[in-house]
Amino acid sequence: MKQRFIKILAFGILLSSNLQAQTFNNLFRTKDRQDNLEDFDLKKFSYGFYLAANNFDYKMVLNPIFGMDGNQNLVESKSTYSFGAGLIGKMRLNEFLDLRIEPGLHFVQRDLTFNTFEHNSQYSGGTNYNLPFDPITNPSDEQINKVVKSTYIDIPILLEVHGDRWYNSRPYAAAGINYLVNLQSNQTSTSDNLLNTFRSTTHNFGWSAEIGIQLYFSRFKLTPAIRGTFFTNNELVSDNATTQPYWTPAISTLQSRAFMLVLKFE
């Protein structure tokens, strides 16, 4: 069994190396090289789709009274990996510039941890910043840990700048603006974090920057790219006025940021 496993592993490595060598030779060989899709980028309009592996996180500015204990942050954000997909529409502007619109759907989950209960209970008598409240002395796990699920409809408009083709490849960089709709924002919900409902804004704006390389095959163009998307508006929706200041009062600003590995097919 061990010898068979070693033979299978060796065969897999050999096959993988052979495929990688063939792909490299087909794309970048200089002798008897065939240029793939020579007229593809001369089209005024072209279309495609993309798949994305995402890492979404929150950039937070904490309230120095309710969100911090000295230099210790009382609220923490943990990012998770997720996925997305979308469509591509491209308009050629000139030899070096393209205008792209790439509407997509991203499924996101983030975890927020509030270590605010012991610290903020000292303000239960009321201060200039909050009304008196009944402190929660034994918070449940759901009150401390908030699982924030979001589904974003992302509509970026990107201006792409690319260089000349080098054999069957072409590097590029792109940047633009985003309009994003969070379908799971709970913005209009009357419940808040006291009832385990985290609320954020539905309509959001941001900007994106992207770099990648376009690879030309005989039948399609494949583009692996890295994209960063950064929200510009504050997504936080405050808890109700009668809710204890353990959750949203601890946060002054909440903004999403995402890093994506994108595979585009055109």
Side-chain angles (χ1 to χ4, degrees):
M1 181 65 68
K2 183 177 180 180
Q3 291 180 350
R4 181 179 297 179
F5 175 76
I6 293 174
K7 290 180 180 179
I8 293 174
L9 181 61
F11 176 77
I13 295 173
L14 181 62
L15 180 62
S16 176
S17 301
N18 186 45
L19 289 175
Q20 291 177 1
Q22 289 181 5
T23 301
F24 183 85
N25 289 335
N26 289 335
L27 288 174
F28 305 120
R29 66 185 181 187
T30 57
K31 184 178 180 181
D32 299 327
R33 175 178 55 83
Q34 178 181 353
D35 288 331
N36 298 324
L37 303 177
E38 293 182 82
D39 299 328
F40 184 86
D41 293 318
L42 299 180
K43 299 177 182 179
K44 184 66 174 178
F45 299 98
S46 62
Y47 309 92
F49 69 95
Y50 69 87
L51 304 174
N54 306 325
N55 183 264
F56 272 78
D57 196 4
Y58 279 128
K59 177 184 177 182
M60 296 185 296
V61 176
L62 300 182
N63 184 299
I65 297 174
F66 299 117
M68 300 187 69
D69 184 4
N71 293 325
Q72 179 184 359
N73 294 338
L74 299 180
V75 185
E76 299 176 351
S77 173
K78 180 182 177 182
S79 63
T80 58
Y81 292 95
S82 56
F83 69 95
L87 302 175
I88 299 170
K90 185 197 78 173
M91 182 175 70
R92 183 177 187 268
L93 300 180
N94 58 40
E95 185 178 357
F96 298 104
L97 293 175
D98 290 334
L99 186 65
R100 289 179 172 267
I101 182 169
E102 300 185 356
L105 192 64
H106 302 288
F107 302 94
V108 179
Q109 177 177 313
R110 284 159 291 194
D111 300 328
L112 291 177
T113 301
F114 293 86
N115 300 307
T116 54
F117 289 85
E118 182 178 354
H119 178 268
N120 289 354
S121 291
Q122 65 181 306
Y123 304 116
S124 61
T127 68
N128 293 333
Y129 305 99
N130 69 284
L131 298 173
F133 64 89
D134 295 325
I136 299 176
T137 55
N138 296 303
S140 66
D141 289 340
E142 288 186 348
Q143 289 174 322
I144 294 175
N145 300 306
K146 302 292 182 181
V147 177
V148 183
K149 295 184 178 181
S150 305
T151 301
Y152 289 107
I153 297 177
D154 181 15
I155 306 176
I157 299 176
L158 304 170
L159 181 64
E160 176 189 308
V161 181
H162 47 256
D164 293 325
R165 283 182 58 159
W166 183 70
Y167 302 140
N168 282 310
S169 67
R170 186 173 70 171
Y172 78 95
I177 57 175
N178 300 61
Y179 170 60
L180 305 102
V181 180
N182 185 357
L183 301 179
Q184 294 180 280
S185 66
N186 297 316
Q187 182 173 1
T188 59
S189 175
T190 56
S191 301
D192 61 7
N193 282 291
L194 185 61
L195 299 176
N196 201 34
T197 300
F198 187 87
R199 301 183 295 190
S200 59
T201 56
T202 301
H203 303 281
N204 304 282
F205 299 90
W207 62 275
S208 291
E210 178 180 302
I211 58 172
I213 184 169
Q214 299 166 348
L215 305 175
Y216 297 82
F217 294 87
S218 59
R219 296 182 179 273
F220 65 95
K221 181 169 71 171
L222 172 65
T223 304
I226 297 175
R227 177 187 298 178
T229 298
F230 308 92
F231 287 39
T232 56
N233 61 288
N234 186 1
E235 297 175 71
L236 188 69
V237 174
S238 298
D239 288 335
N240 300 327
T242 55
T243 296
Q244 298 94 328
Y246 295 126
W247 298 283
T248 59
I251 305 172
S252 297
T253 304
L254 187 76
Q255 295 174 307
S256 291
R257 53 187 178 183
F259 296 95
M260 308 180 189
L261 174 62
V262 185
L263 288 179
K264 302 182 183 181
F265 300 86
E266 299 177 71

